[in-house]
């Protein structure tokens, strides 16, 4: 039985028949059990041990203890009417240290997928959500070309085991974060501050995507597959100021087009290559690489949280920057309400982004694979979580998505981020994105009001009247 069905309100915005409604998680953020059944360290396990790297010294233990509680979590998903669940597979479980297959690790995902199917929930698997085996990082990580080939081997292991049952595949989640936050600014694992390593990582991640697609075509040919990118509408603070316009061009190139163009157009943008020339980017691109990277995909996953308003730099940024090639650019506020992460709530940006993809990169079905917000949720005296801000956030963003569909965008699904409160990477356990509240001391789950509202949307395949 559903936790809640909002049957009293009329449907004003119906979504297409067959629209996929789901929620998403990531392995390191929820699984815990970091030393269980043969799992070895990922770069995030190592990063969490560094003093000051993660807020409050938080680590991947216990996370949401999903490794042990997955069956109950699937029951919870079913109660929320979820039609699909997007999870990520932990590379250090499946091929510990990047080496041989680990049957115990694969068995866990076997059990998870089977339980999802029994509950009528479509499994959507992401192969890489940032938990590179630490042993491969020691050997160069994503800055080393060999890691792309190790990723293909790992993909084959997962696809051989799960390929007959997974409904949708994403190779990489947000390679921008892996490359630039991981190897340029160092604010994410592995905590490296080396611009040449960051640009090498960009290309090797994309090469890994292409090689993984080849393995998925062989071992999971019946399910759609693609890549998930964190994309941002980017605009100049002063559209008539050539310096601001150029700053916006650089940021758009480094955030969006550096990934979209090679995957969907077969080549890196010329202006981005020029911006990154000082860091040796093209040294890593070999003959045949772009043909591998640009092999057709069946879906593009879109992670959307906000838009970027960009102004020219005042001075060159002297410290580690994620925006190598556009150092020192200024990101200006628009004066809109903010989430607990400090991100402005900008639903119109989602419509704009989807329309841009539809116009400039046509022909590929789109799925919103992440969208959500962190707020300071607490369980009240009556045992409920009245997260009115999150509920409102989801409502306006779903209306923005529907507006894009009305204008012809081939949007086929929406995955809320996230199912459970979790370890929010370097922010630790303090930032809560979940539809379900997790007490990390007791592991008690409490369904939030936003989850009850979302269950109603799913059951109707549409939004209530405003």
């Amino acid at each position: 039985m559903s936790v809640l069905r909002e049957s009293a309100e009329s449907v004003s915005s119906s979504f297409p028949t067959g629209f996929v409604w789901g929620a998403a998680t990531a392995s390191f953020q929820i699984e815990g059990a970091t030393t269980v059944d043969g799992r070895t360290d990922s770069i995030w396990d190592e990063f969490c041990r560094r003093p000051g790297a993660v807020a409050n010294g938080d680590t991947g233990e216990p996370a949401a203890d999903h490794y042990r509680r997955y069956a109950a979590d699937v029951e919870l998903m079913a109660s929320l009417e979820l039609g699909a669940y997007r999870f990520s597979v932990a590379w250090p479980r499946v091929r510990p240290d990047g080496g041989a297959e680990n049957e115990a690790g694969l068995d866990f995902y076997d059990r998870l997928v089977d339980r999802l199917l029994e509950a009528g929930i479509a499994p959507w698997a992401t192969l890489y959500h940032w938990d590179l085996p630490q042993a491969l990082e020691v050997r160069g990580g994503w800055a080393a070309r060999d890691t792309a080939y190790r990723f293909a081997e790992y993909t084959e292991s997962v696809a051989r085991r799960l390929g007959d049952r997974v409904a949708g595949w994403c190779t990489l989640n947000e390679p921008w974060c892996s490359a630039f936050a991981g190897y340029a600014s160092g604010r994410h694992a592995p905590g490296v501050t080396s611009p040449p390593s960051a640009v090498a990582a960009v290309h090797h991640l994309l090469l890994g995507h292409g090689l993984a697609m080849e393995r998925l075509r062989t071992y999971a040919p019946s399910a759609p597959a693609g890549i998930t990118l964190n994309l941002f509408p980017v605009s100049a603070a002063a559209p008539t100021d050539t310096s601001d316009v150029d700053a916006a061009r650089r940021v758009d190139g480094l955030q969006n087009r550096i990934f979209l163009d090679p995957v969907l157009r077969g080549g890196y943008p010329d202006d981005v290559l020029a911006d990154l020339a000082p860091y040796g980017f093209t040294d890593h691109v070999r003959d045949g690489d772009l043909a591998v990277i640009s092999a057709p995909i069946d879906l593009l996953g879109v992670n959307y949280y906000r838009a970027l308003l960009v102004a020219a730099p005042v001075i060159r940024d002297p410290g580690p920057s994620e925006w190598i090639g556009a150092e020192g650019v200024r990101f200006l506020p628009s004066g809109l309400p903010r989430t607990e992460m400090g991100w402005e709530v900008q639903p119109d940006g989602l419509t704009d982004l989807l329309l841009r993809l539809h116009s400039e990169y046509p022909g590929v079905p789109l799925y919103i694979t992440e969208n959500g917000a962190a707020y300071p949720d607490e369980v009240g005296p009556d045992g409920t979580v009245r997260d009115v801000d999150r509920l409102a956030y989801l409502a306006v963003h779903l209306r923005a998505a529907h507006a894009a569909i009305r204008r012809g965008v081939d949007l086929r699904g929406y995955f809320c981020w996230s199912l459970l409160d979790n370890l929010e990477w370097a922010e630790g356990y303090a930032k809560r994105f979940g539809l379900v509240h997790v007490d990390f001391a007791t592991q008690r789950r409490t369904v939030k009001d936003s989850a009850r509202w979302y269950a109603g949307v799913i059951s109707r395949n549409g939004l209530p009247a405003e």
Side-chain angles (χ1 to χ4, degrees), residues 52-380:
V54 176
N56 305 312
D58 291 335
T59 71
E61 292 288 357
D65 198 32
H66 176 72
Y67 190 82
R68 298 180 178 90
R69 299 170 186 266
Y70 75 93
D73 286 340
V74 172
E75 290 182 12
L76 187 57
M77 296 178 213
S79 77
L80 296 175
E81 305 277 357
L82 295 185
Y85 172 53
R86 178 178 174 247
F87 62 95
S88 77
V89 178
W91 191 346
R93 291 197 194 281
V94 171
R95 282 184 172 263
D97 294 332
E101 287 185 5
N102 174 34
E103 288 298 313
L106 285 164
D107 287 348
F108 168 70
Y109 296 104
D110 249 340
R111 297 191 298 272
L112 173 62
V113 166
D114 285 347
R115 187 60 66 98
L116 288 166
L117 292 171
E118 290 167 4
I121 300 169
W124 280 61
T126 296
L127 290 161
Y128 186 70
H129 201 132
W130 308 354
D131 46 0
L132 180 72
Q134 175 63 21
L136 291 182
E137 177 58 34
V138 171
R139 288 155 52 184
W142 285 110
R145 186 180 178 90
D146 184 66
T147 300
Y149 297 97
R150 303 291 77 76
F151 181 60
E153 292 174 348
Y154 153 69
T155 297
E156 180 174 332
S157 296
V158 178
R160 279 181 180 271
R161 180 65 73 90
L162 305 180
D164 60 332
R165 286 160 290 156
V166 166
W169 296 90
C170 292
T171 55
L172 307 175
N173 182 81
E174 300 186 358
W176 184 92
C177 291
S178 297
F180 292 114
Y183 290 91
S185 70
R187 68 182 179 93
H188 278 189
V192 174
T193 54
S194 167
S197 295
V199 300
V202 168
H203 183 67
H204 297 149
L205 282 154
L206 288 173
L207 179 62
H209 153 75
L211 294 170
M213 285 295 299
E214 292 178 353
R215 304 299 174 97
L216 290 172
R217 297 302 190 202
T218 300
Y219 299 106
S222 61
I227 189 171
T228 288
L229 304 176
N230 54 322
L231 301 172
F232 294 77
V234 181
S235 58
T240 59
D241 185 312
T242 57
S243 296
D244 282 5
V245 170
D246 187 63
R249 175 199 62 78
R250 286 172 173 257
V251 170
D252 179 60
L254 293 168
Q255 178 70 59
N256 299 323
R257 293 181 289 117
I258 195 173
F259 299 104
L260 287 166
D261 280 27
V263 172
L264 297 174
R265 292 179 172 172
Y268 292 106
D270 289 339
D271 65 313
V272 174
L273 293 179
D275 291 338
L276 295 182
Y279 309 103
F281 182 61
T282 56
D283 295 344
H284 305 287
V285 183
R286 299 183 185 177
D287 289 345
D289 283 0
L290 286 165
V292 173
I293 293 168
S294 64
I297 58 175
D298 308 307
L299 63 92
L300 176 64
V302 177
N303 291 359
Y304 175 78
Y305 292 98
R306 56 182 170 140
L308 299 176
L309 184 64
V310 178
V314 177
I315 58 171
R316 188 176 179 86
D317 182 3
S321 173
E322 292 166 345
W323 300 99
I324 55 176
E327 294 91 341
V329 295
R330 293 178 292 152
F331 298 94
L332 305 182
S334 301
L336 297 170
R338 295 175 180 267
T339 71
E340 188 74 359
M341 294 292 289
W343 302 340
E344 291 187 325
V345 180
Q346 299 168 306
D348 291 347
L350 177 57
T351 308
D352 294 342
L353 174 61
L354 294 173
L355 289 169
R356 178 190 180 184
L357 294 171
H358 174 69
S359 173
E360 297 183 19
Y361 302 90
V364 58
L366 305 178
Y367 291 80
I368 297 172
T369 38
E370 286 186 27
N371 176 242
Y375 289 106
D377 307 320
E378 296 182 358
V379 179

Side-chain angles (χ1 to χ4, degrees), residues 34-52:
T34 55
T35 60
V36 171
D37 291 337
R39 183 193 181 278
T40 54
D41 274 356
S42 74
I43 54 175
W44 273 94
D45 294 286
E46 177 65 24
F47 189 69
C48 286
R49 297 186 188 112
R50 297 186 186 182

